[in-house]
Every structure is written in structure tokens, then in C-alpha cells.
Amino acid sequence: MKDITLLKNHPAALFGVFLWGLAVILIFAKVILEPGQHTVLDSYLLGADRWIDRVKLYSGPGGFIYTPTFAVLFVPVTKLPLFLADLLWRLFIIGLYAWASFRLLSHFYVFSREKLFHWFGLFSVIAVPIAFSGFRNGQMNVVLISAMMLVISQIIEKRWNSAALVLALIMSLKPTFIVFFLLATTLFRPFWLRVPLMLLAFLALPLVFGGLDYGLEQYNNFLEMADSAVERGITTPTWASFFNIPMQLIHYSVPEGLQNIIKLILAALTWMVCFYAIVRHGTKNGLIYLLSFSACYHVMFNPRSVNTDYIILGSVLAFWFVCAAYLWREKNLAWTTGLISLGVLFAFDISRTLVTDATSWFNPLMAAVFTGVLIWQLCQKRVFAP
């Protein structure tokens, strides 16, 4: 009853909770009225079914594109009716995302439960609309950003074992997690031994349950698939990655060699900036910069990013928007992050309206703009906690 009173006293919190409820209702309706539509669960189940049948897991850069460990761990889901599996998976990722978001906010907005509910509501106003397409499709990127926020919370709490477990598990399932994975693992000494050992344990599961020959064969097939998937991402101009901006706008293709050089240089600079933020402003503040810069790098330079993947960026934008509005009372920063968030939310329509037949250039542009905002805020010594 007290929680309900808190919500009534703050319209933003009430609206935020309403958005979570609306998302769940729409997911229920989607599964009931259009079963099997707008879902990637079939790709996950494809890998698990192939594992059960002991056949080749991969058939090129489409379909099942995750690790053999993913296929092994998803096998129990194949025992559920398809309708139920589709519904439970979507509810699981929504619940995980809500929990991870609330936990992250609680480490910075602990003045009172009332303010925490209020700020979680405002966070949800930005985050949930951007995340909804990921909820609807059951995308793994919802799990990725949830894991990133959970690891940040666990590091703050010095829960090194559980944080290492999450890092190793997610990395063993989806290699595009590597940006955040490498930043967190290399910048914090307690991970240096824990994470590699746990990662090896997860990667060994296909060898344990499938046998050495079959397991190694699938890892070799995975590497071939990953190489072709990256190649398709680089050579196809419709992905929502940074180097496709000039291709979609002026039909200029950045040479692959130059792309790799730029990505390596920016990766090193990202690591140094995160290291500086941690040393200069303390672990708690530095972790938010780590989360923010890794999110920008991830969506901009993953060659297979699509518009719905920008839930990763949207979550960080929502956090900064709440900080600007309530923690620092910075109207200009609030407007800036709010407008970037709107750009991410409507990126598909904006891209297509401004440039005919181009649908994926505006999101990476927004990520680049937000990266500039982050650098400016770091130069201004912006912090989230004393």
C-alpha cells in the first residue's frame, strides 16, 4: 500500500510503471494473436534442436549465430510448448531488464525509497519505449545490457565472484559482449583469474555434453560462421554501424583495413578514458563512464548492429537523462540526452525520411554525438556520487 502511495505522488513514476505493465500486456497479446511472429526464439531453438540431433549447428551467417554453449544451455527450453517458451522467454528478459535497471539506479539514488521510485519511473519513460522492440522480438541484446548493468552493481558491491560469473557466462554465449567484457575484466584486478577460469568452464560445456570430437567440430564451425557473419556486416551497407553512415549518405565505402585500424585505435582510447575515469573520479563514478563508453563503442562498431540493438545505448541515455534532470538539475544536458533518446527511438523513420531508402544511419550518428557528450562531461569532471 505504501508503494502505491509513493507512485501516486509522482506522475513520472506512475507513468514509468504503466509502461512496464503495458509492455507485458502487449507481449501477451502479441504471442496470443500472432504466435511465432517478430521473434528470434526460433533461431535459439534451431541451435538447441540441432544440438540434440548431433548435426552441424551453423548454416552460414544467418539463423543460429551463437556459440555452442548457447545451444547446450538452451536445450531445456525445447521441452516446452512453443507458445509457452515464446512467452516465458520474453517475460524473462523483461523482468531481468527491469531488475538490472532498478539495481543500478539504487546505487546512486538511495536518499529515500520515494525518490528511488520517482527516478526509476523517469528512467523507464526513456528506456522502455526504446527497449520495447527488443522485448517484442525476444532479442539477446536485452540480456546483454541487463548483464552490463548487473555487473556494474556487483562491482560496486564488491561481489567479485557473482560479477565474474555473469561476465564469463554472457561472453560464452554471445561474443559481441567482448567490448564491455574486456574493459571490465582488464580494469579490475579481482577478475584477472576468476573470469578466465569461469569462461573456460562455460566454453567446455559442449565438450562435456557433446563429446570432444563433436564439440570441437562445432567450435570450428562457429569460427567459420562468425567470420562470414562479420564479412557480411562489413560489406552490407544497411546495418546500423558507424562505418555505414558514409555509405548510406554519400555512397562511400570505408576500406575494411582502414576500419580495423580506426577501431583498434578507438578501442585503446576507450580503455584509457575508462581507466582515467576510475582513477580520477573513483570506482563508482568510473563504472558509469565505463558502461557508457562501452555501450557507444558496442553499437557503433559491431558490424551487424541493427536499429533494435540500440536498447544498449537507450538504457545509458535514460540513466544520464535522470541524472541531468534530478541529480544535477542541468536543463541543457537533460534536453540534450532527451533529444538524442528521441532520435534513437525514431531513428528508422528519421533515416528514411531524410535519405530515401536509407534506414540505419541515424542511430550510429546519435551514438557518435552522445560519445562527444560523454567526453565533454568527463572533461567537466561530472560525477554521480561523492
Side-chain angles (χ1 to χ4, degrees):
M1 182 63 68
K2 185 176 180 180
D3 291 345
I4 295 175
T5 302
L6 293 178
L7 292 174
K8 287 182 178 179
N9 290 337
H10 296 288
L14 183 61
F15 186 59
V17 172
F18 165 76
L19 288 178
W20 288 107
L22 180 63
V24 172
I25 292 171
L26 291 176
I27 292 299
F28 266 99
K30 186 74 175 176
V31 174
I32 294 172
L33 298 177
E34 299 179 351
Q37 299 296 313
H38 293 102
T39 179
V40 293
L41 184 73
D42 55 347
S43 296
Y44 307 155
L45 292 173
L46 175 64
D49 287 333
R50 287 175 174 174
W51 177 268
I52 294 171
D53 295 335
R54 291 295 187 270
V55 297
K56 185 177 180 181
L57 296 178
Y58 307 99
S59 53
F64 183 71
I65 57 172
Y66 303 91
T67 66
T69 300
F70 192 109
V72 172
L73 295 180
F74 221 76
V75 165
V77 183
T78 63
K79 308 303 180 183
L80 298 173
L82 183 59
F83 167 83
L84 185 60
D86 210 3
L87 179 61
L88 290 180
W89 172 252
R90 285 162 162 166
L91 293 179
F92 166 72
I93 64 173
I94 293 174
L96 181 65
Y97 183 68
W99 177 51
S101 303
F102 193 84
R103 281 201 61 192
L104 180 65
L105 288 167
S106 68
H107 286 291
F108 294 89
Y109 312 126
V110 294
F111 309 113
S112 69
R113 287 188 70 190
E114 185 173 3
K115 286 188 176 181
L116 180 57
F117 272 107
H118 192 192
W119 291 335
F120 178 72
L122 188 60
F123 172 92
S124 303
V125 169
I126 297 289
V128 174
I130 295 175
F132 180 75
S133 59
F135 296 163
R136 179 196 63 193
N137 297 340
Q139 286 187 306
M140 189 63 182
N141 280 310
V142 181
V143 178
L144 256 63
I145 184 58
S146 300
M148 291 162 72
M149 292 189 288
L150 284 175
V151 168
I152 296 298
S153 298
Q154 291 166 334
I155 295 175
I156 292 172
E157 298 165 1
K158 300 188 184 303
R159 298 175 59 189
W160 302 109
N161 289 330
S162 59
L165 184 67
V166 174
L167 283 168
L169 173 61
I170 302 303
M171 187 62 201
S172 73
L173 301 178
K174 190 172 175 66
T176 54
F177 189 62
I178 193 169
V179 178
F180 180 83
F181 175 85
L182 288 178
L183 285 172
T185 302
T186 58
L187 286 169
F188 293 95
R189 187 185 296 271
F191 290 142
W192 291 0
L193 181 60
R194 288 177 172 90
V195 171
L197 291 177
M198 292 183 183
L199 179 59
L200 286 174
F202 282 119
L203 293 176
L205 291 178
L207 309 182
V208 173
F209 290 101
L212 185 62
D213 291 340
Y214 179 70
L216 290 177
E217 181 184 1
Q218 298 319 304
Y219 272 116
N220 183 62
N221 294 334
F222 169 77
L223 292 176
E224 294 177 355
M225 178 281 300
D227 182 66
S228 62
V230 171
E231 183 64 24
R232 173 183 285 189
I234 292 174
T235 57
T236 305
T238 55
W239 301 102
S241 59
F242 182 78
F243 289 115
N244 278 340
I245 295 177
M247 187 61 190
Q248 294 188 45
L249 295 183
I250 59 175
H251 303 291
Y252 171 74
S253 178
V254 180
E256 183 177 349
L258 180 59
Q259 289 187 33
N260 292 332
I261 293 172
I262 293 173
K263 285 191 285 188
L264 284 173
I265 293 173
L266 291 179
L269 289 174
T270 300
W271 190 94
M272 289 188 287
V273 167
C274 293
F275 177 79
Y276 168 80
I278 292 170
V279 172
R280 179 66 178 81
H281 299 299
T283 299
K284 197 170 183 179
N285 293 303
L287 282 167
I288 297 302
Y289 281 104
L290 187 156
L291 175 66
S292 303
F293 280 111
S294 63
C296 290
Y297 191 99
H298 178 112
V299 295
M300 283 196 294
F301 298 114
N302 174 13
R304 289 173 64 94
S305 284
V306 295
N307 284 318
T308 54
D309 294 346
Y310 280 74
I311 176 182
I312 294 174
L313 181 63
S315 306
V316 175
L317 282 165
F319 186 91
W320 278 84
F321 179 76
V322 175
C323 289
Y326 288 132
L327 187 61
W328 305 315
R329 306 290 179 178
E330 287 281 353
K331 291 184 178 180
N332 289 337
L333 183 58
W335 274 105
T336 301
T337 52
L339 289 173
I340 294 174
S341 300
L342 285 175
V344 171
L345 180 61
F346 297 106
F348 180 88
D349 295 315
I350 294 172
S351 296
R352 187 173 55 180
T353 300
L354 296 179
V355 181
T356 304
D357 298 328
T359 59
S360 305
W361 62 271
F362 199 75
N363 254 332
L365 178 62
M366 290 296 94
V369 171
F370 184 56
T371 301
V373 172
L374 291 175
I375 294 172
W376 175 246
Q377 293 305 304
L378 185 58
C379 292
Q380 294 295 105
K381 302 178 180 180
R382 185 77 69 186
V383 295
F384 306 85

